[in-house]
Amino acid sequence: MKILVFVKQVPDTDDVRLDPRTGNLMRDGVQSIINPFDANGVEAALQLKAQCGGQVVAISMGPPQADDVLKKALAMGCDESVLISDRALGGADTLATGYPLAKAAEKIGDYDLIICGRHATDAETAQTGPIIAAFLGIPQVTLVDKLSVEDGFAICRRLLPDRYETVKVKLPALVTVCSEINTPRYPTPINIMKALKKPRAVWNAADLGCEPDMIGIPGSPSSNKKIFEPPKRMTETIFFQGDAEAVARAIADALEAEKII
Amino acid sequence: MAKEDYKGIWVFAEQENGVLSETTFELLAKSADLKEKLGGKDEITAVVLGDDAAAFASTLYSYGAEKVIAAEHANLGQYSARPYAEVLTALSEKYKPSIFLFPASPLGRDLAPRVMCQLRTGLTADAIDLDVDEDGVFVQTTPNFGGNILSHICIMEKRPQMVTVHPKVFSPISPIEGAAGELILEKPEVEADDCYILLETEKRVFEGKPIADCSVLVSGGRGIKSQADLDMLRELAALLGGELASSRPLVDNGWLPHEKQIGQSGTTTKPDFILNVAVSGSVQYLAGMQNAKCIMSINHVASAPIWDVSHYGAVMDYSKLIPALIAEIKARKGL
Ligand SMILES: Cc1cc2nc3c(=O)[nH]c(=O)nc-3n(C[C@H](O)[C@H](O)[C@H](O)COP(=O)(O)OP(=O)(O)OC[C@H]3O[C@@H](n4cnc5c(N)ncnc54)[C@H](O)[C@@H]3O)c2cc1C
Ligand SMILES: Cc1cc2nc3c(=O)[nH]c(=O)nc-3n(C[C@H](O)[C@H](O)[C@H](O)COP(=O)(O)OP(=O)(O)OC[C@H]3O[C@@H](n4cnc5c(N)ncnc54)[C@H](O)[C@@H]3O)c2cc1C
């Protein structure tokens, strides 16, 4: 079985600033981590490999430092990594992100299963997985919290707000995984050592055979027109003063007045 | 094809097991507003897929659809991304809508990106507002990182301009009995998707009432120091006849399940009363609770954005106040 796992590098905080001029992310000075759901994706792939045998390839697109998340994926136990890095790919919307990622999957070839996170914690569009599947013309199962493989099919349980759905999907297919699916393993010192010797490719847009008008800013139909501060709702606030007991009494009075108690 | 040749506003009418989703009606209501801002010429069309899709037409008219495109086939009875995306792509190529709105539900977010990809257009994710700006451009508002900036995303050249829209940000109109419209019945060829087979569904059972349905909520934020403190908030919620909820960090660190999260990527709530404890009030959080009738907050920082929406509050450390409040309410209730 050949499993491709897409891993994205994300800032380790919610408090990321945007460049007010370009509307792009300012990544300087912010620690980066592997998108937490993608660590679940790597773990899911490694568990399937342990059961069915095969090979796990981790793929990330981003600036050269995105290589850090690939090192992490290899140290967890992935067999190979591919870094897609090219200035021409920058500023992409989800269409222009999904396209080169799909191209990379095609170039690697013979995949049985592709795993993405349910979303990336920075922009959280959750669009990249379905877009990769659409480019490749394969079925997708989103929001998976249980996953197994048998006879050329994946059995996936989807975690929906009100219900679980169990779906049988023919391979090759793409799944997006939730954090509930597993607990990602930690890299061990031995695996960190081994990771140094694993095959690691770096591809640019030309290596992938990308059409120039399908990538980066030219290939992105959507754009950020402006960023602005939300209009403030200036609600009159009644502030309770005093020590904890006095404030507690005032709150209880207010709760009675509002007919909550 | 020039972008001017694309006309009209489409709403994907999401139905599962014969029931249209609430967000479909919210989007139809918002479409009327967009139509007006765009000059009144764009028709509002609901697009519905199913084995008996035309049956939804009268309901869709009553909520504001001027036209209904019903695509019917036995193989559309059960949702599956690929056949649904094929049909919507073909319809969109045939009728050329300018704007195509989807609910940002699990189904909408599964389906819309595939359609967008096949149409090679743009898709804005999970918008919390839709508008036409001073340049006459259709803009979608989405929150940005850090939670205190919004951005206007737009799709300048490609058509249709696709958007998934956050549930509950718009209100549906009250249905108009007997409203009429034009029905276009489509009978596309749809092959059964033998690659995607739904084996079973199982209802999820939850502890407590869903926070979307609660009239009273006590919500804890990142400032809550321990799970023992969170248990205090749980006790307080129970005393008030409500449920415990939280902002995202307490879900991210595993203290509460995702269904207790308020906000953009959690649940949109509209309780009669909410008490926010050690929550700063990011845009994403506010999106999930700012329509509460009575908002009370406890935060030891006087400049936190949560005060912009609070009716009552105390600028102080919660750790002494909450036990005092529990004692006070117990005393008043004679417990
Ligand atoms: C605030 C903000 C809002 C945005 N809104 C939109 C919008 O509405 N529409 C739009 O088209 N674009 C939007 N973008 C641009 C969009 O974020 C980028 O196209 C981005 O590359 C997709 O990221 P995501 O976080 O949404 O990924 P998601 O689609 O949420 O990621 C899902 C999964 O896809 C895989 N994946 C995603 N990116 C990579 C990668 N670089 N390398 C490897 N695997 C990856 C991972 O497995 C990940 O778990 C927005 C950007 C910002 C900063
Ligand atoms: C795409 C995306 C989607 C998101 N979706 C959501 C969402 O759905 N819901 C959500 O909540 N967030 C969401 N976020 C995260 C959001 O941006 C904020 O980071 C988050 O809401 C902050 O949570 P908080 O207010 O609990 O924490 P903080 O912002 O860290 O605030 C903690 C507050 O506690 C106060 N405090 C600390 N100690 C005490 C004390 N002892 N007594 C009293 N007060 C104290 C502090 O003054 C501070 O104001 C999202 C982010 C992104 C990028």
Side-chain angles (χ1 to χ4, degrees):
Chain A
M1 217 155 80
K2 188 154 162 186
I3 307 174
L4 312 185
V5 194
F6 284 102
V7 293
K8 184 182 183 187
Q9 187 176 47
V10 298
D12 185 15
T13 165
D14 289 321
D15 194 22
V16 176
R17 306 271 164 224
L18 294 177
D19 185 326
R21 210 169 32 84
T22 62
N24 286 333
L25 275 182
M26 302 202 298
R27 292 185 186 267
D28 297 346
V30 180
Q31 287 285 330
S32 292
I33 53 166
I34 182 169
N35 176 36
F37 300 105
D38 299 349
N40 295 109
V42 170
E43 178 63 37
L46 295 174
Q47 289 184 13
L48 285 177
K49 180 187 159 176
Q51 283 161 28
C52 319
Q55 185 194 16
V56 180
V57 185
I59 306 158
S60 190
M61 178 168 94
Q65 59 269 30
D67 194 43
D68 290 346
V69 296
L70 291 172
K71 280 189 197 137
K72 161 113 188 199
L74 292 172
M76 284 173 74
C78 293
D79 301 294
E80 289 181 28
S81 73
V82 175
L83 175 67
I84 303 166
S85 201
D86 195 324
R87 278 185 173 276
L89 296 164
D93 70 358
T94 60
L95 184 68
T97 300
Y99 171 70
L101 295 181
K103 281 286 194 186
E106 270 171 8
K107 186 173 160 91
I108 295 166
D110 304 326
Y111 49 83
D112 300 289
L113 183 65
I114 299 180
I115 303 181
C116 289
R118 63 174 289 173
H119 60 245
T121 52
D122 50 355
E124 243 183 60
T125 66
Q127 287 174 186
T128 308
I131 290 170
I132 296 171
F135 272 116
L136 297 172
I138 60 174
Q140 79 206 19
V141 190
T142 49
L143 304 171
V144 171
D145 79 339
K146 273 187 186 169
L147 176 63
S148 61
V149 166
E150 54 189 54
D151 307 328
F153 284 88
I155 311 294
C156 312
R157 190 176 81 165
R158 300 182 70 205
L159 176 64
L160 300 173
D162 60 336
R163 64 183 189 275
Y164 299 106
E165 275 186 9
T166 306
V167 171
K168 184 175 167 181
V169 66
K170 193 166 195 301
L171 301 179
L174 181 145
V175 301
T176 76
V177 297
C178 304
S179 59
E180 288 80 359
I181 193 171
N182 56 39
T183 307
R185 68 192 66 188
Y186 287 103
T188 59
I190 297 209
N191 276 335
I192 294 172
M193 294 287 291
K194 278 192 189 157
L196 298 172
K197 300 195 191 78
K198 290 179 177 170
R200 316 190 52 199
V202 181
W203 293 340
N204 62 23
D207 296 329
L208 294 173
C210 290
E211 304 280 343
D213 60 351
M214 294 268 306
I215 57 170
I217 293 168
S220 298
S222 47
S223 57
N224 211 324
K225 193 157 187 269
K226 74 167 187 200
I227 48 183
F228 57 103
E229 299 242 347
K232 287 222 188 302
R233 268 233 314 241
M234 279 306 165
T235 309
E236 281 292 331
T237 313
I238 300 172
F239 285 104
F240 304 121
Q241 317 275 354
D243 63 7
E245 283 68 29
V247 171
R249 278 194 300 278
I251 291 179
D253 288 344
L255 290 173
E256 281 179 352
E258 297 280 346
K259 302 203 168 42
I260 307 299
I261 52 172
Chain B
M1 208 55 211
K3 64 181 179 186
E4 291 73 24
D5 297 326
Y6 289 78
K7 293 193 173 73
I9 303 169
W10 278 20
V11 171
F12 175 70
E14 176 185 27
Q15 61 95 5
E16 283 185 289
N17 305 316
V19 182
L20 288 161
S21 78
E22 233 359 72
T23 311
T24 303
F25 306 139
E26 295 160 14
L27 296 185
L28 286 171
K30 186 62 190 177
S31 298
D33 174 48
L34 290 175
K35 173 179 175 163
E36 194 188 309
K37 288 179 171 152
L38 288 164
K41 287 200 214 69
D42 289 275
E43 242 174 343
I44 300 169
T45 303
V47 184
V48 60
L49 275 53
D51 46 9
D52 184 20
F56 296 103
S58 56
T59 308
L60 291 165
Y61 300 144
S62 72
Y63 280 96
E66 296 166 328
K67 231 185 212 176
V68 169
I69 300 178
E72 290 188 349
H73 194 286
N75 290 332
L76 295 172
Q78 183 70 55
Y79 170 74
S80 169
R82 288 201 300 173
Y84 265 55
E86 291 300 333
V87 170
L88 289 183
T89 304
L91 289 175
S92 185
E93 283 170 342
K94 178 170 170 187
Y95 294 103
K96 304 191 170 41
S98 174
I99 293 175
F100 197 173
L101 309 176
F102 289 73
S105 58
L107 191 157
R109 299 186 81 168
D110 193 69
L111 172 62
R114 286 197 86 114
V115 179
M116 162 263 213
C117 183
Q118 284 168 283
L119 293 171
R120 298 288 193 272
T121 185
L123 173 65
T124 301
D126 209 15
I128 56 168
D129 200 5
L130 306 174
D131 205 354
V132 177
D133 75 2
E134 58 281 5
D135 307 327
V137 176
F138 173 48
V139 291
Q140 302 89 50
T141 305
T142 63
N144 253 315
F145 300 96
N148 299 314
I149 322 169
L150 296 173
S151 59
H152 272 168
I153 302 200
C154 58
I155 299 155
M156 291 304 284
E157 298 303 324
K158 295 290 171 68
R159 294 292 178 270
Q161 304 160 86
M162 293 180 61
V163 189
T164 63
V165 184
H166 200 66
K168 291 194 190 164
V169 292
F170 306 117
S171 299
I173 60 167
S174 337
I176 303 161
E177 285 288 328
E182 181 191 343
L183 176 68
I184 300 178
L185 191 60
E186 290 275 343
K187 301 268 186 183
E189 274 308 309
V190 185
E191 278 182 46
D193 192 0
D194 51 9
C195 294
Y196 186 99
I197 304 145
L198 179 64
L199 297 178
E200 65 171 7
T201 60
E202 183 195 334
K203 260 202 108 45
R204 290 177 65 192
V205 268
F206 294 106
E207 229 181 278
K209 209 168 152 189
I211 59 170
D213 305 337
C214 287
S215 54
V216 173
L217 291 173
V218 174
S219 172
R222 189 174 358 227
I224 301 298
K225 292 185 201 71
S226 65
Q227 299 206 46
D229 283 3
L230 196 60
D231 286 337
M232 282 196 315
L233 297 188
R234 194 176 276 119
E235 184 186 355
L236 178 60
L239 276 174
L240 299 177
E243 285 285 333
L244 179 65
S246 78
S247 62
R248 192 168 81 172
L250 299 194
V251 172
D252 285 348
N253 74 8
W255 288 3
L256 282 172
H258 182 254
E259 58 271 11
K260 300 292 180 196
Q261 179 187 320
I262 290 176
Q264 170 91 4
S265 57
T267 301
T268 306
T269 65
K270 208 176 167 179
D272 293 334
F273 173 78
I274 183 167
L275 175 64
N276 307 293
V277 186
V279 175
S280 67
S282 65
V283 174
Q284 292 97 343
Y285 180 81
L286 296 181
M289 50 63 73
Q290 60 192 358
N291 293 326
K293 279 206 202 97
C294 177
I295 302 176
M296 189 184 281
S297 306
I298 299 169
N299 193 310
H300 67 176
V301 172
S303 60
I306 194 75
W307 298 121
D308 299 343
V309 302
S310 301
H311 303 100
Y312 297 100
V315 179
M316 67 194 297
D317 191 316
Y318 75 85
S319 23
K320 287 211 187 75
L321 177 55
I322 298 296
L325 184 55
I326 290 174
E328 179 67 27
I329 293 171
K330 276 188 174 164
R332 291 193 190 201
K333 289 189 152 193
L335 295 169

